Amino acid sequence: MVTNAREIDSLVTNFRRGQNSQANTEIEYLKIFVIVVSFLAFIFLIAMGTLIGNSIIYALEQLKSGLLNFFAFLNRKKDFAEPIILNSRDEFGLMAKSINKNIKSIEKLHLELFELNTQLEKKVNQRTKELKEANEQITKSIDFAAIIQQTFNCKEERVKDFFDDYFILLNQREKVGGDIILFEKINEDECLLMDIDCTSHGVPGAFVTMIVIALQRQILKEIELHNTEALDTSLILKRFNYEIKHLLEQTSKSSKSNVGFDGQIVYYNRVKNILKFSSARNDIVLSIDGQIKRIKGDRQSVGYKNSDENYEFTQHTINIEKDTIVYIYSDGFTDQIGGHKLIPFGKMRTLNILKNCWGKKLQEQKEHLLRALKNYRKSYEQNDDISFVGLRIKKLIKNISIKLNFRTISLI
């Protein structure tokens, strides 16, 4: 019995050992299986991650490439916009589809706008060409008008016949202008000088000067038909006033036109050494032995609709007994803006320059005046047309003395 019990215990023990050994083997197999499955799962996850990552990167690259291509189209570096090639059914594919739809719409609008811009550019170029041609024609016309106006302006060789020392300054703001200096020889001993400052400057002013020139010719013809002993500069201004007002229908305040001039008229007889002058608004300056005398013009302009048709201008008459310089000028000189305070050059500054220039040749005085105005004006634009005339009149040496001297010489 004891032996049987031992055998049974031995069998049980062996059985248990067999079971434990089998269990351990199974556990080991299970561990290996888990490890293999885990490794395979890890490999699978890595593969899937790589695949998904590559897919995302590819999608982003396609989106980036498509957008850059679209921007290149907008910047006119390409003729058309290429769609984003991405046919996946994920979010990136849907995004690409939506972007392509918008690109197509924008491309259509952009091409239409480009076409409109092209047509507009052609029209602008055509219009620019037309304006350039028109401007060239206008410039040629103004250049030709300037030549015509210059032919009427005072010629220095004609002034030289009457005056040994003089200067003439005419500086239009533009190619043509409203200031004009007229010199007319009545006969061998008498002459008329006019410094006329017409309304405005440029082309409008030039038109008015043509009216003044035409009227001047008419008045001079009438003077030639009459005795110049009775020549009256104030009546010449009055005649200008009447003719301009009626010619341009400026006789009432309701008139549409309103042009005229300010200016001076000077008559000189070199045999009698008589000076007559009248002025509408602008001053006449006399320099006698270095003493400056300013003679104010009448406070009345010529020809404007507010000008009094019956106004009697003043005539001044001077017998030249001492060397005298006569200055006449337009307000374009004295009204020039400049200096630190941006105020006009002024009449007093002009008179001081003339006073300090006594004894100098008139051409030197002209240069001095121009230099002073330029330094004052600096970089500021010229306001208006400028005209300025200076004439030196010497005291008369009696003809009888000359004749007696010649007789004495001939007797010797």
Side-chain angles (χ1 to χ4, degrees):
M1 291 292 294
V2 173
T3 304
N4 292 332
R6 289 179 176 175
E7 291 177 356
I8 291 171
D9 289 336
S10 176
L11 290 172
V12 170
T13 301
N14 291 332
F15 178 75
R16 287 178 176 175
R17 287 178 179 175
Q19 283 185 333
N20 288 337
S21 176
Q22 184 178 358
N24 289 333
T25 301
E26 290 178 355
I27 290 172
E28 289 296 325
Y29 284 138
L30 182 61
K31 286 181 179 179
I32 293 170
F33 177 77
V34 169
I35 291 171
V36 170
V37 170
S38 297
F39 177 76
L40 292 174
F42 178 72
I43 295 298
F44 177 76
L45 289 175
I46 290 175
M48 288 300 294
T50 303
L51 183 62
I52 293 171
N54 289 337
S55 177
I56 293 173
I57 292 172
Y58 173 77
L60 291 174
E61 287 292 334
Q62 289 297 103
L63 290 172
K64 176 183 175 182
S65 175
L67 290 174
L68 289 176
N69 177 271
F70 176 63
F71 293 143
F73 165 73
L74 292 179
N75 292 320
R76 296 186 182 181
K77 294 180 179 179
K78 289 192 174 184
D79 295 333
F80 58 91
E82 296 177 0
I84 299 173
I85 302 174
L86 191 62
N87 298 320
S88 62
R89 296 182 179 181
D90 55 12
E91 288 79 1
F92 291 106
L94 294 175
M95 187 185 299
K97 185 177 180 181
S98 177
I99 292 174
N100 285 337
K101 184 178 180 181
N102 287 297
I103 286 176
K104 198 68 178 177
S105 299
I106 295 173
E107 180 184 22
K108 182 179 178 181
L109 292 173
H110 186 75
L111 290 173
E112 290 176 356
L113 181 61
F114 178 76
E115 181 65 24
L116 288 174
N117 285 337
T118 303
Q119 293 177 5
L120 180 60
E121 188 174 352
K122 288 180 180 178
K123 289 181 179 180
V124 169
N125 291 335
Q126 179 63 28
R127 187 58 179 162
T128 302
K129 181 181 178 182
E130 292 173 358
L131 289 173
K132 184 179 179 181
E133 292 174 353
N135 183 61
E136 290 175 354
Q137 290 298 323
I138 292 171
T139 301
K140 288 179 181 179
S141 298
I142 292 175
D143 289 341
F144 188 67
I147 294 172
I148 294 174
Q149 190 178 45
Q150 288 168 9
T151 60
F152 291 106
N153 266 311
C154 179
K155 302 295 188 300
E156 292 201 12
E157 56 268 20
R158 301 186 69 185
V159 177
K160 194 181 297 183
D161 291 340
F162 274 82
F163 305 96
D164 294 330
D165 194 11
Y166 63 90
F167 75 75
I168 298 169
L169 168 60
L170 182 61
N171 188 4
Q172 308 281 27
R173 177 180 167 177
E174 299 166 27
K175 290 183 178 181
V176 294
D179 278 20
I180 189 166
I181 301 170
L182 302 172
F183 181 87
E184 291 297 334
K185 178 180 176 181
I186 300 174
N187 54 48
E188 291 300 321
D189 300 318
E190 298 170 285
C191 65
L192 270 177
L193 176 69
M194 303 181 188
D195 187 356
I196 306 298
D197 179 7
C198 297
T199 306
S200 189
H201 45 75
V203 174
F207 270 109
V208 184
T209 64
M210 294 297 104
I211 296 173
V212 171
I213 291 168
L215 293 175
Q216 182 229 25
R217 296 296 183 187
Q218 180 181 337
I219 293 171
L220 286 177
K221 283 186 178 180
E222 294 177 4
I223 290 175
E224 290 175 0
L225 297 175
H226 299 83
N227 188 358
T228 55
E229 290 287 342
L231 189 146
D232 191 324
T233 54
S234 65
L235 293 179
I236 295 176
L237 279 180
K238 185 176 182 179
R239 179 67 181 279
F240 270 120
N241 190 35
Y242 177 88
E243 294 293 344
I244 291 176
K245 287 179 71 68
H246 284 268
L247 179 65
L248 301 178
E249 299 180 352
Q250 298 178 166
T251 53
S252 67
K253 292 184 178 180
S254 61
S255 301
K256 293 182 180 180
S257 174
N258 187 29
V259 299
F261 70 81
D262 298 336
Q264 309 95 323
I265 299 178
V266 177
Y267 161 83
Y268 175 58
N269 186 317
R270 62 181 170 185
V271 173
K272 297 181 179 180
N273 233 22
I274 293 176
L275 195 66
K276 298 179 184 180
F277 51 86
S278 299
S279 176
R281 292 196 176 273
N282 293 340
D283 294 343
I284 295 176
V285 177
L286 301 178
S287 180
I288 304 173
D289 280 346
Q291 298 299 313
I292 296 295
K293 183 177 181 180
R294 173 188 167 200
I295 301 171
K296 296 181 180 180
D298 290 320
R299 303 300 296 172
Q300 179 77 12
S301 295
V302 174
Y304 293 94
K305 61 184 181 182
N306 291 328
S307 299
D308 182 1
E309 183 177 319
N310 299 312
Y311 186 84
E312 299 290 341
F313 291 92
T314 305
Q315 175 177 259
H316 304 270
T317 303
I318 296 177
N319 292 314
I320 305 299
E321 297 177 349
K322 296 181 179 180
D323 286 356
T324 301
I325 302 177
V326 182
Y327 300 100
I328 55 176
Y329 50 87
S330 66
D331 60 5
F333 190 90
T334 55
D335 289 349
Q336 176 60 50
I337 297 297
H340 298 295
K341 296 182 179 180
L342 291 180
I343 58 176
F345 189 78
K347 294 180 180 180
M348 293 307 300
R349 186 179 279 105
T350 303
L351 294 176
N352 286 333
I353 292 174
L354 296 178
K355 184 177 181 179
N356 294 331
C357 282
W358 173 258
K360 295 181 179 179
K361 291 287 186 181
L362 287 177
Q363 288 297 327
E364 293 180 35
Q365 294 187 27
K366 173 183 175 181
E367 296 302 320
H368 192 77
L369 286 164
L370 284 172
R371 187 164 52 251
L373 188 66
K374 181 180 179 181
N375 293 337
Y376 185 79
R377 181 165 68 91
K378 294 183 179 179
S379 60
Y380 299 108
E381 292 184 357
Q382 183 176 329
N383 294 353
D384 198 359
D385 301 326
I386 295 173
S387 54
F388 209 127
V389 179
L391 305 171
R392 189 187 299 275
I393 304 174
K394 296 182 179 181
K395 62 182 178 179
L396 182 65
I397 301 175
K398 300 296 182 179
N399 291 339
I400 186 170
S401 300
I402 297 173
K403 290 179 181 178
L404 287 173
N405 286 338
F406 274 112
R407 287 176 183 172
T408 302
I409 292 170
S410 57
L411 284 172
I412 292 172

